[in-house]
Amino acid sequence: MHEGEVSEGTTLHDTYSRVMQSGVLRAAYVEYPPVMYKSGGIFKGIFYEVISSFAASQQLDIEWVEETGYGVVIDGLVEGRFDIFSSATWPTQERHKKATLSLPLYYSDVGVWVANDSPLKNADWLVLNDPKYRIAITDGDITHSICLTDFIFAKWVRVPQLGKVKILLDFVAEGRADATMVERLTYEAYATDLAKPLVNIAQEKPIRRYSNSFLIGKNQDDFLELLNSHILALNKSGKIAELVKKYTQSTDGIYFPVLGNTAT
């Protein structure tokens, strides 16, 4: 194994020591507004501001080494290509097994989105568990995870692995799928660029409520403690709530951790 490789479930390199000695935090991301995106070539977003403030607090430079995809992000951590995945990450069984989630910045409800002119517009999302319906997913992503439990009989339409999250919504808006699952913040960020409006049929009964966290390598306890301390301080001060309000139209469907709660 070369330096930075890991064995199954065990990280061989020490993120804390490497980062502190080099003064460089190697970060990967997915363009995912409003949490992490580029505008005019400049990074912006809720998670971007948090990771930037963390780096500044530790006198670290951030090196943006990779734009990746949610379905393959674990590969980059396992192979040691970057130290942290800095876009919002939801928990899955595989992510818990092979990587580590930070404390949540906040929690968000996941919607089920269909075309505004679809016969499904007023349906219960439970009806989608039927072979006649097509659901847009990304392999290895949370959309895949949800389908494995809730929509096992539906037809899964797989989008390109390294495509932006928007492509899930594009598939529905363009009629290539009947539904997909994203949070409200994501839909609102892309709504004006879609071929047609979509509607959330899980508004009153969200399909999931997930924690939004950073993702780091497995067994990186010292680095995790440092990162979690920063997140906890920002939540206690109300700074993360301020950032959410700064980048979103409303905080509907967004929930903040109980102060002092360390559960992800």
Side-chain angles (χ1 to χ4, degrees), residues 150-171:
D150 293 65
F151 302 124
I152 58 174
F153 297 116
K155 181 179 179 181
W156 304 348
V157 181
R158 289 168 167 82
V159 307
Q161 186 61 254
L162 296 181
K164 295 180 180 179
V165 178
K166 176 178 178 287
I167 198 168
L168 292 166
L169 298 169
D170 283 332
F171 265 54

Side-chain angles (χ1 to χ4, degrees), residues 82-134:
F82 45 84
D83 305 308
I84 188 167
F85 177 64
S86 54
S87 297
T89 307
W90 293 340
T92 66
Q93 184 176 359
E94 185 182 22
R95 289 168 184 169
H96 278 301
K97 179 182 178 182
K98 297 183 178 181
T100 302
L101 292 157
S102 73
L103 287 178
L105 278 66
Y106 54 87
Y107 299 82
S108 56
D109 288 340
V110 182
V112 179
W113 299 84
V114 303
N116 193 48
D117 58 0
S118 168
L120 293 165
K121 179 179 179 179
N122 296 310
D124 189 310
W125 56 259
L126 292 170
V127 305
L128 291 168
N129 192 25
D130 188 296
K132 68 182 179 181
Y133 294 121
R134 304 160 300 162

Side-chain angles (χ1 to χ4, degrees), residues 193-214:
D193 296 325
L194 298 177
K196 66 173 64 173
L198 307 185
V199 61
N200 179 15
I201 61 173
Q203 181 70 38
E204 301 300 322
K205 186 173 64 176
I207 194 167
R208 295 287 192 281
R209 178 172 296 168
Y210 282 129
S211 57
N212 290 258
S213 305
F214 292 103

Side-chain angles (χ1 to χ4, degrees), residues 29 31 36-45 48-49 52 64 247:
Y29 69 97
E31 189 153 323
M36 174 74 72
Y37 63 100
K38 283 185 176 180
S39 178
I42 299 173
F43 279 113
K44 294 183 178 181
Y48 171 71
E49 293 209 24
S52 295
W64 298 101
Y247 284 101

Side-chain angles (χ1 to χ4, degrees), residues 6 10 14 62-63 92-93 99 102 111 118 127 163 185 197 219 234:
V6 298
T10 304
D14 178 1
I62 300 177
E63 182 181 354
T92 66
Q93 184 176 359
S102 73
S118 168
V127 305
L185 303 185
N219 302 324
L234 293 183

Side-chain angles (χ1 to χ4, degrees), residues 11-27:
T11 304
L12 298 180
H13 67 285
D14 178 1
T15 300
Y16 178 87
S17 296
R18 197 208 64 76
V19 168
M20 292 304 166
Q21 289 173 11
S22 68
V24 176
L25 178 64
R26 300 172 304 157

Side-chain angles (χ1 to χ4, degrees), residues 66 68-77 81-82 139-140 161-162:
E66 187 172 327
T68 185
Y70 272 108
V72 295
V73 63
I74 290 177
D75 296 341
L77 286 168
R81 299 200 305 266
F82 45 84
D139 273 330
Q161 186 61 254
L162 296 181

